Amino acid sequence: MLYGWFNNTSNLLMHLIPKGTPIVLIPFMVLIETVRTLIRPLTLAIRLSANMIAGHLLLTLLRASFSALPFFSIPILLVAQIMLCGLEIAVAVIQAYVF
């Protein structure tokens, strides 16, 4: 982005404007698209953090219920935790790819 701003400003700004935009709206579209581009890393970081916290919270809640459940339901809970760990790994891989 910085290379484009300094070396090829006019072409960079043309890519921020959708085709067929009325001339009156062009400055607003450039502003909106610039803000969107600058905010994207922040929104991706927030989404990544929320997904990580949600997975850890689920695993912690399942672990906390081990002592309150009867003995015969512990294998089911263990399988659920293993499946959640696999899901959390898959979510982490996808989020790393998106980020």
Side-chain angles (χ1 to χ4, degrees), residues 8 25 27-28 51 53-54 58 86-87 90 96 98:
N8 207 359
L25 294 178
F28 299 112
N51 284 335
I53 290 170
L58 279 173
L87 178 66
V98 169

Side-chain angles (χ1 to χ4, degrees), residues 44 47-49 51-52 90-99:
L44 288 174
R47 187 173 71 194
L48 178 64
S49 300
N51 284 335
M52 287 176 17
V91 166
V93 168
I94 291 170
Q95 288 297 317
Y97 174 74
V98 169
F99 196 69

Side-chain angles (χ1 to χ4, degrees), residues 18-38:
K19 196 172 191 175
T21 303
I23 293 176
V24 177
L25 294 178
I26 288 177
F28 299 112
M29 291 302 294
V30 169
L31 180 66
I32 289 169
E33 291 295 321
T34 302
V35 169
R36 181 184 69 93
T37 303
L38 294 174

Side-chain angles (χ1 to χ4, degrees), residues 56-79:
H56 282 76
L57 183 62
L58 279 173
L59 288 172
T60 302
L61 289 173
L62 277 176
R63 187 184 65 214
S65 64
F66 260 112
S67 61
L69 289 176
F71 183 72
F72 63 87
S73 63
I74 289 179
I76 296 170
L77 192 59
L78 190 60
V79 169

